[in-house]
Amino acid sequence: MYDFNVARPGSIDEAVKLLSDEDAQALGGGQTLIPTMKQRLAAPELLVSLTNIPEMQGVCRDGDTLSIGGATPHAVVARDAAAHFPGLAALAGQIGDPAVRNRGTLGGSLANNDPSACYPAAALGTGATIVTNTRRIASEDFFQGMFDTALDEGEIIVSVDFPIAEVSAYAKFAQPASRFALVGAFVARYADGVRVAITGASETGVFRWTEAEEALSQDFSHEALDGLSVDSDGMIGDIHGAPTYRAHLVSVMTRRAVAAAI
Amino acid sequence: MTVAKPLPHDSAALHVTGQARYVDDLPLPEGAVHLAFGTAPVAHGRLRSIDLTKVRAADGVLAVITAADLDHEIDVSPSPSPEPLLAGDTVQYVGQPVFLVIAESHLLARRAAALADYDIEELPAILSIEEAMEAGSRFEEGPRIYTRGDAAEAITTAPHSLTGSIEIGGQEHFYLEGQAAAALPQEAGDMLVYSSSQHPTEIQHKVAHALHLPMHAVRCEVRRMGGGFGGKESQGNSLAIACALAARLTGRPATMRYDRDDDMTITGKRHDFRIDYRVGFNGEGRIAGIEFLQLCRCGWSMDLSLPVADRAMLHADNAYFIPNMRVESHRLKTNTQSATAFRGFGGPQGMVGIERVLDHVAHAVRRDPLDVRRANYYRPLAGASGGDISEQAKTQTTHYHMPVEDFILHEMTERLVETSDYRARRAAVAEWNARNDVLKKGIALTPVKFGISFTLTHLNQAGALVHVYQDGSIHMNHGGTEMGQGLFQKVAQVAASRFGIGIERVKITATDTGKVPNTSATAASSGSDLNGMAVQAACDTIRERLAVFVAERAQARPEEVRFEGGKVLVGGEALSFDEVVRDAYMARVSLSSTGFYATPKIVWDRIKGEGRPFFYFAYGVAVTEVAIDTLTGENRILRTDILHDCGASLNPALDIGQIEGGYVQGAGWLTTEELVWDGKGRLRTHAPSTYKIPACSDRPDILNVALWDGANREETVYRSKAVGEPPLMLGISALMALSDAVASCGKAYPDLDAPATAEQVLRAVERVCT
Amino acid sequence: MESLSLTVNGKPVSAEVEGRTLLVQLLRETLGMTGTHVGCDTSQCGACLVHVNGDVVKACTMFAFEADGAEVTTIEGMADGDDLHPIQEAFRTHHGLQCGFCTPGMIMSAAALLKENPKPTEAEIRHHLEGNICRCTGYHNIVRAILAASGQPVPERTATATADA
């Protein structure tokens, strides 16, 4: 790892100023950034730690919305969101392992948009709004392909507003060694319909399975998914699974998520 | 008696407080230098030149060494076939060390090592077993062949026959403590080496050779390894030699550890195999003959591949008497890591071959595989239940003509079938499968008969050094190394038992080539057998002198003297051991002795495939029940029952630890641990995030382990049996249970290869269902 | 260079380290506390677990500067003088270790679990230990040690089966 300077701002304004430098990089929990820097795949000159900013911490219910600070660790979400939004809390509680969950943050995960990460499925599956220091971005517009998001240079995820679902569940088929999602399906039912977001499968990252959403909006049961499948074209193929295997798992995990949600 | 007590590991108190020191924890003198290898980026190529300018100019770099800088070719191989420390003008695998960086810190060394510019003319690489066969790329002049009877004839004349093939993946050791070494220059050019190694004598030998020194000028010390499993039998040589060279060059202590990534990329793993078979059998599944073709992928250099492949041949029978057998073994050379020793050393692979045959035959004759296995077992011991009187005189031999005189699997199998409730559970599994479509279950019982001794006869020797200090405390040393298996504690228990004192009186000391010379590796499960006997010999020599001394004083006979409970009982009196020792010292009786042991009875011709390579066999049986998800291929082990033979156990707790750990490691090898190389010979699974080692939630929900209580027929140390490797092969029952579960989905035979990952299982289900 | 002030095992520590210095390097190299082990260099194995402000974290995946002002507890801080912590004692007597390399991380992980869940079930223990790799024991005795440390009954095991005559 190359050396760097360190800043630990206590406010969003301070952080934004520091991140306006093009060689600066935001540091959340470090659970992805630190391994990346160890492999020298990233070498920022300034690391701006975002974990000392009070406005970016915490889980807060406001009517039908659960608002979570961008620097909130997964373990805190798993604990504090459980009473309000169990499907989301359960997803957070399955990320990595206990030590990872004590450091990794919501904002860090979304900003990174790893195609095998879990949180993107929750954000897209709930139609969440990503609140940055300058604007509000709908989840539909936020995810722009593997490791790519709508965020500008230096833009910070201050918080994420999750519309609370009537029922929801996340079914994850974990890649056994890394525990990332080989395929993860987040299913959420709202008054105006059902959303299904799939992570781990597609080369373009998290996506909504609209065919399944339509069927489930008519009939929220796993039988409604009978006969439905996704094309293996465009699915990720790697040492952990062929595209056909992932495509197959998409239907299986979606059905399991529905069964768990009911 | 201290022996047979379930005492905790000797270093337990140090481990739980973090005080136990591994090589990387040793406080080194100021100014130590750190090393890293620059490694080859292609699988096969002519090294035209390397531009090391950026490497030399990098921060903190003191020196960079290539093969050209060495005054002679430095050999790191454990076998007669040499293997250079650094690649010369050809590179032979991705990850091969090409140059050595000496720098001020570990990170600076690694950083610099990545900066070389290679000019390599890429040559065609041989990567797979099939490519190697076609190209005739092999070690030895041709295949090794062992035969008994006429297998081809037997198969032709048998009522039924089958052919098949199984691919058996390799395995990464993943010792939690990676490879590490440190070298400290001494006076007069001598060198002291600390190494995380199972074979300090080889380290001493190789370092001496590298430095043009006689062995007496080099000392190697090993207090403990954070895991070995065979991966530190030869693979530590490179680091130790590199450190010694750097220490000699700079005059400073030198240390090296492989980053985990480098460790997985540079070092060898378990040999992967393909085993083809042809088998002839009758309607009951009784086998008349088998032809095995064992194709062993050895990697680019010989290392220990010959004895590994030999042992795979020697375990092609496992627990079964195969009247006509032909085993043809090809040792194939490929441009990949040099595969090396790994717990079982070829035995597990050979055993998977025969277990697959039995599973396949049982499927064909539609019988419970357990019954087919039993029908093919070696004959029971004469006098044991089920032995035919007229046949008792005739001991059966293995396919390499060794008599099987200690076969206890009939009794053990019967006992485990009972305690594991096998029959009822088999019926329950069948019922479940009839009623369930998505989740299917499978159950299997597999036996283990594993030969104990090094197949290279001269390695079956061990030495010890024991001092009884004048205050009665004891300093014990022997050639075995401690890698977690509890060897040190077991041998200390032997010493304590010989003197009749408490174990706390015995000081366990680091393995040290300066104390015991010419030792063999701690391998072949022989550690306790060999070193226990050597220590016993040393202790008995001293005890005999003490006995003679006190007997004379008490006008009794030495044979009447007893050492028990910290006392010496002679002539009706109970003297304190410490006082006897002190008096003996004053009377100028020597209180120190070496001990030595060489395994008797073994004689082995590895070319002819005849003789008695093993002193005895160690036995075990396991029943594993699994569940598979036919929609995803995901599988888990529900319950495992094990009955294992440790002879008269030296320490039941340590033995059970070996059994549990061995089983989980064996099951992991055959299910989730998948090594993947790409088309260019690069290892893609070189981190625990891509290579799946069993985690806590992977172990069976229910794990029942019992020790078979029966002494070793052979005169081993306290009639115990070796336990390091045999339990790994109990994991084969997991693979067979998965095969059983997949078979329940349809008619066709599953043909399940190893590792049976979720994707493999799913594919097998799809094959069987169509 | 960053100036740090933190507490390690109850004692105040000041250090000047580079930004990129990992917490595990601060502990092992600067402070000479080698009980926290580096097992995998890739944040997977859990051999480097320590407690930071009571939470279990991977010392290899946290910068030292992030622990500025924090209370850090390592394996060396678990015992009370010569008295082993109950979890340490349980690992020792229930044979929850073989080569010992993963042991400090296991104990720190177990301590975090028992603080949050004083009487965990076997399933909860196994789930919690997902981030701790052990290659030697097969985990059975580790789970038993943690059950014992929590004061819960430890399932018996049958030690021997008698050979038939």
Side-chain angles (χ1 to χ4, degrees):
Chain A
M1 197 184 306
Y2 296 104
D3 202 7
F4 47 82
N5 292 312
V6 168
R8 307 184 76 192
S11 76
I12 295 171
D13 285 340
E14 229 189 296
V16 168
K17 259 191 226 110
L18 289 159
L19 287 168
S20 63
D21 182 329
E22 65 174 348
D23 292 315
Q25 165 76 45
L27 172 67
Q31 300 304 285
T32 297
L33 185 59
I34 295 179
T36 306
M37 289 175 71
K38 279 188 193 177
Q39 290 176 60
R40 283 175 238 122
L41 297 172
E45 288 181 16
L46 171 68
L47 269 197
V48 180
S49 171
L50 300 180
T51 54
N52 291 77
I53 303 173
E55 307 101 294
M56 288 179 62
Q57 294 284 346
V59 176
C60 184
R61 175 144 190 181
D62 183 14
D64 284 334
T65 305
L66 198 64
S67 179
I68 303 179
T72 310
H74 310 320
V76 172
V77 175
R79 192 187 62 218
D80 294 352
H84 307 290
F85 197 161
L88 179 66
L91 176 148
Q94 287 177 63
I95 297 174
D97 60 49
V100 167
R101 293 195 283 274
N102 280 331
R103 300 289 305 162
T105 64
L106 169 64
S109 171
L110 293 178
N112 188 38
N113 195 17
D114 188 312
S116 304
C118 298
Y119 263 131
L124 193 58
T126 55
T129 306
I130 287 91
V131 181
T132 77
N133 54 301
T134 52
R135 54 186 168 140
R136 301 173 62 86
I137 313 175
S139 62
E140 269 76 15
D141 305 320
F142 182 80
F143 301 104
Q144 300 195 342
M146 206 190 274
F147 296 110
D148 203 6
T149 69
L151 292 174
D152 293 324
E153 281 293 324
E155 196 176 357
I156 301 173
I157 298 177
V158 172
S159 65
V160 181
D161 289 344
F162 292 93
I164 299 174
E166 289 172 359
V167 288
S168 66
Y170 180 60
K172 169 168 151 184
F173 187 95
Q175 191 269 81
S178 69
R179 283 178 303 276
F180 269 82
L182 195 67
V183 168
F186 188 88
V187 171
R189 190 183 73 194
Y190 294 91
D192 59 357
V194 176
R195 293 174 74 107
V196 176
I198 308 290
T199 185
S202 164
E203 284 178 336
T204 51
V206 64
F207 68 95
R208 285 174 66 180
W209 187 11
T210 45
E211 224 194 328
E213 289 180 344
E214 277 153 25
L216 289 168
S217 297
Q218 306 287 332
D219 168 22
F220 194 69
S221 73
H222 69 86
E223 286 91 349
L225 297 168
D226 282 349
L228 296 183
S229 62
V230 293
D231 208 319
S232 59
D233 235 346
M235 294 285 130
I236 298 172
D238 61 15
I239 59 176
H240 306 298
T244 45
Y245 187 54
R246 280 186 165 83
H248 172 82
L249 287 177
V250 168
S251 10
V252 175
M253 299 324 282
T254 307
R255 293 170 74 106
R256 296 208 173 149
V258 172
I262 291 173
Chain B
M1 243 221 311
T2 317
V3 156
K5 290 219 179 96
L7 302 180
H9 191 279
D10 80 89
S11 296
L14 295 177
H15 286 315
V16 299
T17 53
Q19 289 174 66
R21 291 207 273 210
Y22 303 84
V23 171
D24 197 48
D25 303 333
L26 296 174
L28 293 178
E30 279 280 344
V33 299
H34 297 257
L35 315 182
F37 283 129
T39 62
V42 304
H44 191 204
R46 223 173 35 84
L47 192 54
R48 287 193 283 241
S49 68
I50 329 171
D51 184 355
L52 295 167
T53 325
K54 286 185 249 167
V55 182
R56 294 187 204 278
D59 212 14
V61 169
L62 299 166
V64 181
I65 299 179
T66 64
D69 298 317
L70 302 171
D71 63 4
H72 68 294
E73 188 158 278
I74 292 184
D75 171 39
V76 306
S77 170
S79 78
S81 174
E83 194 181 313
L85 174 70
L86 299 173
D89 50 25
T90 322
V91 299
Q92 301 266 23
Y93 76 100
V94 179
Q96 180 176 11
V98 178
F99 62 89
L100 177 66
V101 178
I102 305 174
E104 299 285 3
S105 82
H106 170 76
L107 292 178
L108 290 173
R110 284 200 74 231
R111 172 135 6 108
L115 298 176
D117 284 315
Y118 294 94
D119 179 12
I120 299 184
E121 181 199 332
E122 264 190 75
L123 298 169
I126 294 174
L127 299 174
S128 72
I129 283 174
E130 288 72 27
E131 283 166 8
M133 282 294 275
E134 207 181 294
S137 176
R138 61 170 70 246
F139 295 106
E140 295 188 295
E141 63 303 333
R144 182 120 344 269
I145 299 173
Y146 295 164
T147 58
R148 190 253 288 280
D150 188 340
E153 161 82 15
I155 295 168
T156 310
T157 57
H160 307 283
S161 69
L162 278 176
T163 55
S165 176
I166 181 169
E167 282 184 15
I168 306 170
Q171 186 177 23
E172 162 58 42
H173 304 82
F174 209 90
Y175 23 68
L176 254 297
E177 180 216 8
Q179 302 279 355
L184 284 72
Q186 308 293 293
E187 287 183 342
D190 289 1
M191 193 64 66
L192 168 59
V193 180
Y194 295 102
S195 177
S196 184
S197 166
Q198 296 168 233
H199 202 349
T201 286
E202 182 158 276
I203 301 278
Q204 175 196 19
H205 185 193
K206 296 286 176 193
V207 165
H209 185 260
L211 298 180
H212 299 288
L213 293 171
M215 280 175 79
H216 69 190
V218 177
R219 187 165 76 83
C220 178
E221 197 183 296
V222 179
R223 176 57 184 87
R224 63 173 60 84
M225 290 163 268
F229 312 111
K232 293 177 179 174
E233 196 171 331
S234 68
Q235 302 296 290
N237 295 350
S238 299
L239 293 96
I241 294 169
C243 285
L245 288 174
R248 164 69 67 84
L249 184 69
T250 61
R252 292 155 68 170
T255 179
M256 185 178 200
R257 63 167 270 262
Y258 284 164
D259 184 85
R260 178 61 62 177
D261 236 31
D262 288 344
D263 200 311
M264 289 180 79
T265 309
I266 296 174
T267 66
K269 293 122 191 31
R270 185 187 289 285
H271 291 68
D272 55 67
F273 275 70
R274 193 186 92 206
I275 297 183
D276 297 347
Y277 54 90
R278 246 178 26 106
V279 54
F281 53 101
N282 68 12
E284 321 257 88
R286 187 72 185 83
I287 292 174
I290 306 180
E291 280 177 348
F292 277 120
L293 178 67
Q294 293 182 341
L295 304 176
C296 173
R297 193 168 73 132
C298 304
W300 77 282
S301 83
M302 191 190 279
D303 190 73
L304 298 163
S305 296
L306 297 194
V308 166
D310 287 355
R311 189 172 275 268
M313 299 175 77
L314 295 171
H315 287 78
D317 64 331
N318 193 16
Y320 312 105
F321 176 68
I322 311 293
N324 300 282
M325 174 97 102
R326 182 178 190 282
V327 186
E328 181 177 316
S329 165
H330 294 255
R331 295 94 197 272
L332 301 169
K333 184 172 167 178
T334 56
N335 293 105
T336 50
Q337 289 79 359
S338 182
T340 189
F342 197 148
R343 204 171 191 177
F345 205 80
Q349 295 95 314
M351 239 183 243
V352 168
I354 179 96
E355 291 302 327
R356 158 60 95 84
V357 168
L358 281 146
D359 192 53
H360 200 172
V361 166
H363 187 268
V365 302
R366 295 200 221 274
R367 285 183 78 189
D368 187 328
L370 167 61
D371 298 324
V372 173
R373 290 189 159 95
R374 290 208 64 170
N376 285 287
Y377 272 0
Y378 282 95
R379 192 172 295 131
L381 291 181
S385 58
D388 182 343
I389 298 288
S390 64
E391 293 284 282
Q392 264 173 27
K394 282 197 272 174
T395 309
Q396 288 176 324
T397 58
T398 64
H399 57 294
Y400 47 92
H401 312 281
M402 173 171 164
V404 180
E405 296 166 320
D406 61 0
F407 196 77
I408 47 176
L409 281 176
H410 287 275
E411 308 89 297
M412 288 182 70
T413 303
E414 236 171 79
R415 170 54 64 106
L416 187 65
V417 165
E418 197 194 301
T419 57
S420 70
D421 214 14
Y422 174 88
R423 302 285 181 197
R425 286 166 62 206
R426 158 122 355 252
V429 163
E431 216 199 287
W432 170 281
N433 289 336
R435 285 183 294 114
N436 285 277
D437 280 327
V438 175
L439 294 181
K440 294 286 191 190
K441 292 187 181 178
I443 188 169
L445 181 151
T446 59
V448 170
K449 167 182 134 287
F450 190 74
I452 303 296
S453 285
F454 286 97
T455 55
L456 278 178
T457 303
H458 78 274
L459 297 176
N460 294 290
Q461 58 174 297
L465 178 66
V466 175
H467 304 318
V468 179
Y469 289 110
Q470 54 194 277
D471 66 350
S473 68
I474 295 177
H475 174 116
M476 181 190 77
N477 195 276
H478 56 80
T481 56
E482 175 62 49
M483 58 192 102
Q485 82 280 46
L487 171 70
F488 277 9
Q489 185 72 311
K490 280 187 177 176
V491 175
Q493 287 175 254
V494 169
S497 295
R498 299 323 275 173
F499 288 117
I501 52 169
I503 190 131
E504 71 288 346
R505 314 299 302 291
V506 179
K507 171 62 71 180
I508 289 169
T509 58
T511 317
D512 184 334
T513 57
K515 289 191 185 160
V516 179
N518 307 324
T519 57
S520 303
T522 308
S525 306
S526 62
S528 301
D529 276 4
L530 296 174
N531 296 292
M533 286 301 251
V535 163
Q536 178 172 291
C539 292
D540 287 358
T541 303
I542 300 167
R543 194 186 63 190
E544 183 60 22
R545 294 177 195 149
L546 291 173
V548 164
F549 167 68
V550 296
E552 210 187 295
R553 257 190 347 189
Q555 279 147 4
R557 290 174 309 142
E559 310 82 79
E560 291 165 350
V561 180
R562 300 222 308 285
F563 292 75
E564 276 166 27
K567 302 258 182 256
V568 182
L569 307 169
V570 60
E573 277 195 83
L575 309 168
S576 120
F577 178 83
D578 295 354
E579 277 178 33
V580 167
V581 164
R582 201 206 42 214
D583 290 351
Y585 163 71
M586 295 301 292
R588 297 184 290 170
V589 173
S590 165
L591 295 170
S592 168
S593 180
T594 62
F596 190 80
Y597 177 74
T599 314
K601 296 191 182 179
I602 46 186
V603 75
W604 170 239
D605 183 330
R606 68 172 287 269
I607 306 299
K608 288 214 201 105
E610 272 170 32
R612 186 193 174 140
F614 306 123
F615 189 26
Y616 62 90
F617 294 104
Y619 295 96
V621 219
V623 173
T624 298
E625 186 180 336
V626 301
I628 68 174
D629 181 335
T630 57
L631 290 180
T632 62
E634 221 179 342
N635 50 83
R636 66 176 292 111
I637 298 175
L638 301 175
R639 173 174 163 181
T640 304
D641 295 78
I642 291 172
L643 182 57
H644 198 82
D645 160 39
C646 300
S649 169
L650 280 177
N651 181 322
L654 296 178
D655 283 349
I656 289 176
Q658 287 296 285
I659 293 165
E660 291 175 349
Y663 172 82
V664 168
Q665 192 174 57
W669 164 50
L670 296 171
T671 57
T672 62
E673 295 186 39
E674 188 179 22
L675 287 166
V676 179
W677 284 264
D678 68 14
K680 306 284 274 170
R682 286 179 301 227
L683 180 66
R684 302 316 300 271
T685 49
H686 54 83
S689 56
T690 46
Y691 180 79
K692 167 61 179 171
I693 297 145
C696 194
S697 43
D698 295 319
R699 39 145 294 207
D701 295 342
I702 300 172
L703 176 57
N704 295 321
V705 175
L707 297 184
W708 181 255
D709 187 14
N712 195 336
R713 290 172 84 246
E714 297 298 340
E715 224 183 296
T716 53
V717 61
Y718 286 94
R719 302 274 177 181
S720 61
K721 284 197 181 183
V723 74
E725 292 164 293
L728 182 124
M729 286 147 269
L730 297 170
I732 297 175
S733 59
L735 181 66
M736 294 301 136
L738 287 172
S739 180
D740 190 55
V742 173
S744 74
C745 299
K747 292 237 182 331
Y749 181 67
D751 258 335
L752 192 58
D753 287 329
T757 59
E759 206 176 349
Q760 281 291 335
V761 169
L762 185 62
R763 286 215 212 111
V765 166
E766 286 163 0
R767 261 200 314 271
V768 168
C769 285
T770 41
Chain C
M1 293 296 270
E2 304 301 309
S3 289
L4 308 182
S5 283
L6 60 155
T7 315
V8 178
N9 297 330
K11 297 207 181 75
V13 164
S14 296
E16 278 258 318
V17 295
E18 289 180 323
R20 64 180 163 179
T21 302
L22 298 167
L23 180 57
V24 70
Q25 290 172 285
L26 174 73
L27 294 170
R28 287 180 59 83
E29 294 163 33
T30 312
L31 301 177
M33 294 166 60
T34 56
T36 305
H37 296 146
V38 175
C40 72
D41 298 293
T42 54
S43 314
Q44 295 286 123
C45 72
C48 68
L49 293 186
V50 298
H51 297 170
V52 176
N53 294 333
D55 287 333
V56 68
V57 300
K58 295 175 182 178
C60 75
T61 316
M62 184 170 169
F63 292 115
F65 78 78
E66 294 183 279
D68 187 26
E71 274 183 34
V72 175
T73 310
T74 71
I75 187 69
E76 289 94 342
M78 292 300 284
D80 182 7
D82 281 339
D83 293 328
L84 293 179
H85 187 283
I87 299 176
Q88 291 173 307
E89 183 58 28
F91 268 74
R92 191 185 76 84
T93 53
H94 289 269
H95 310 282
L97 59 99
Q98 288 183 25
C99 86
F101 202 79
C102 76
T103 307
M106 284 286 177
I107 291 175
M108 300 312 283
S109 186
L113 172 65
L114 294 185
K115 204 174 71 165
E116 193 188 297
N117 182 356
K119 304 278 181 199
T121 61
E122 249 198 68
E124 284 168 338
I125 294 173
R126 291 206 242 136
H127 178 69
H128 181 86
L129 292 181
E130 261 180 358
N132 288 87
I133 300 177
C134 172
R135 196 47 158 163
C136 296
T137 66
Y139 303 99
H140 198 59
N141 283 340
I142 290 174
V143 174
R144 296 172 89 242
I146 296 174
L147 284 170
S150 72
Q152 296 182 93
V154 179
E156 273 311 313
R157 61 153 96 258
T158 44
T160 56
T162 320
D164 287 326

